[in-house]
Amino acid sequence: QVQLVESGGGLVQAGGSLRLSCAASGRTFSSYSMGWFRQAPGKEREFVAAIMWNVDSYYADSVKGRFTISRENAKNKVYLQMNSLKPEDTAVYYCAADPRSNWLPNRPEYWGQGTQVTVSS
């Protein structure tokens, strides 16, 4: 089992940047495939980005070219660098983890509590 704690959310103006971090517990972090999802008010939780254990990465079309997912296995962390932010990026962002080598298109097994990102126009 793995526990996930997100940080780095906040309020930013449109066009700005934020970097989200997710700290994971456990000694087998390097074998987990990780992801970021987001949920805006009144909407379903949606996929944002994923990085598998072998560093293969995937992105939603809405964030491709603006967001970058990365991982640092030595620190048990995964990051989401968000650039050129738009008001429609406003949501609670969730970190997720799964022991499967590639859980797409399904949902990961473990979830964090989320961090709020608000982009003002």
Side-chain angles (χ1 to χ4, degrees), residues 83-116:
N83 298 329
S84 303
L85 283 162
K86 305 174 182 180
E88 51 264 43
D89 294 318
T90 295
V92 177
Y93 283 71
Y94 296 90
C95 177
D98 195 288
R100 289 172 289 179
S101 59
N102 189 329
W103 40 263
L104 290 170
N106 300 303
R107 292 291 177 100
E109 183 174 357
Y110 302 106
W111 295 85
Q113 295 300 306
T115 185
Q116 176 71 46

Side-chain angles (χ1 to χ4, degrees), residues 6-121:
E6 303 95 335
S7 61
L11 174 64
V12 64
Q13 288 189 330
S17 298
L18 279 176
R19 189 175 84 150
L20 304 184
S21 298
C22 173
S25 65
R27 291 178 289 181
T28 58
F29 174 78
S30 61
S31 67
Y32 276 72
S33 292
M34 307 296 293
W36 288 95
F37 287 71
R38 66 186 181 187
Q39 188 167 17
K43 295 188 176 182
E44 294 187 352
R45 192 172 299 188
E46 65 175 5
F47 169 76
V48 174
I51 185 165
M52 303 309 169
W53 69 276
N54 62 356
V55 199
D56 284 348
S57 302
Y58 304 86
Y59 296 92
D61 288 342
S62 59
V63 307
K64 205 170 290 183
R66 300 188 297 124
F67 290 11
T68 303
I69 190 170
S70 61
R71 64 188 300 158
E72 191 171 4
N73 289 339
K75 294 187 177 182
N76 278 21
K77 287 191 173 181
V78 64
Y79 306 100
L80 185 68
Q81 178 66 43
M82 306 186 293
N83 298 329
S84 303
L85 283 162
K86 305 174 182 180
E88 51 264 43
D89 294 318
T90 295
V92 177
Y93 283 71
Y94 296 90
C95 177
D98 195 288
R100 289 172 289 179
S101 59
N102 189 329
W103 40 263
L104 290 170
N106 300 303
R107 292 291 177 100
E109 183 174 357
Y110 302 106
W111 295 85
Q113 295 300 306
T115 185
Q116 176 71 46
V117 171
T118 303
V119 184
S120 63
S121 56

